[in-house]
Amino acid sequence: MKKLNFILSLSLILILSGCNSDDENGNENTQRNGTLIFGWFADSRCSGDCSTIYKIDTENVYKDIDYNYPENTFFDSNFQLMTNKNHQDFKTLITELPNEIFNEPNGYLDCTDCTNENGGFYLEYLDDDGFHKSWRFRNAIYPDYIESYRSLLLEKLAELNSL
């Protein structure tokens, strides 16, 4: 069952990654040294491994081994170090995070009435200065500024899920 869920999840990511755009908005991102927690989660009817969440900090990449569902504002996790993945390959997920997202409140981007019912993507950023926010977005509902980052996120999730 876990293998079937993994295959279905990977297929979904690969299909969604074909729906990207080359829209460049010209935003310059500042150098960030925080921690990013990111991934996807299935709808609430899912049973089994209903999410795949990763964490990247200034040195390593980790995977949540409990397949916890991001139900609260901040993700409750059991991260395990991924020794077979190079941190440098995924650092762009932090450095390319659009500046506009930091002005958004916690919750769904461009969808105040959205719930976890239909699944989506999860992002959480925290740094040493005490900044800590989390956001969710659906594949079809998100602000324009997130478009190219969404494509990067799909690409990196497919790489991480290919183990």
Side-chain angles (χ1 to χ4, degrees):
M1 182 67 170
K2 284 187 176 184
K3 197 170 200 174
L4 178 60
N5 281 338
F6 173 76
I7 292 169
L8 291 173
S9 300
L10 183 58
S11 298
L12 174 66
I13 289 171
L14 293 174
I15 289 168
L16 294 175
S17 67
C19 301
N20 61 26
S21 164
D22 291 326
D23 181 20
E24 291 187 28
N25 57 14
N27 290 335
E28 289 185 26
N29 295 314
T30 60
Q31 182 64 32
R32 296 185 186 94
N33 292 317
T35 298
L36 181 69
I37 298 171
F38 62 97
W40 67 271
F41 58 97
D43 66 25
S44 59
R45 296 174 300 236
C46 177
S47 62
D49 300 335
C50 298
S51 69
T52 303
I53 307 291
Y54 298 93
K55 176 174 92 170
I56 183 170
D57 60 20
T58 57
E59 297 177 5
N60 296 302
V61 179
Y62 307 84
K63 181 177 183 178
D64 175 54
I65 58 173
D66 290 342
Y67 299 97
N68 287 333
Y69 197 80
E71 295 180 287
N72 300 313
T73 300
F74 300 118
F75 187 65
D76 184 26
S77 61
N78 183 11
F79 286 113
Q80 181 177 29
L81 178 64
M82 296 181 73
T83 57
N84 58 343
K85 288 297 176 186
N86 183 351
H87 167 265
Q88 295 302 318
D89 295 340
F90 301 95
K91 189 176 176 180
T92 57
L93 286 168
I94 295 175
T95 60
E96 295 300 318
L97 195 60
N99 289 330
E100 294 90 342
I101 200 167
F102 293 100
N103 296 323
E104 298 277 1
N106 291 324
Y108 274 91
L109 301 177
D110 272 9
C111 189
T112 56
D113 296 333
C114 284
T115 65
N116 289 349
E117 244 175 60
N118 294 320
F121 297 95
Y122 180 80
L123 298 171
E124 180 177 341
Y125 182 84
L126 56 146
D127 64 24
D128 292 338
D129 295 330
F131 183 88
H132 194 183
K133 281 195 173 184
S134 69
W135 310 276
R136 294 164 171 81
F137 64 93
R138 297 234 174 95
N139 192 49
I141 303 173
Y142 51 84
D144 290 339
Y145 70 80
I146 204 82
E147 179 69 35
S148 61
Y149 187 79
R150 181 185 139 278
S151 298
L152 174 66
L153 180 63
L154 287 167
E155 173 190 322
K156 296 302 181 184
L157 283 170
E159 281 182 51
L160 286 165
N161 287 332
S162 68
L163 295 174

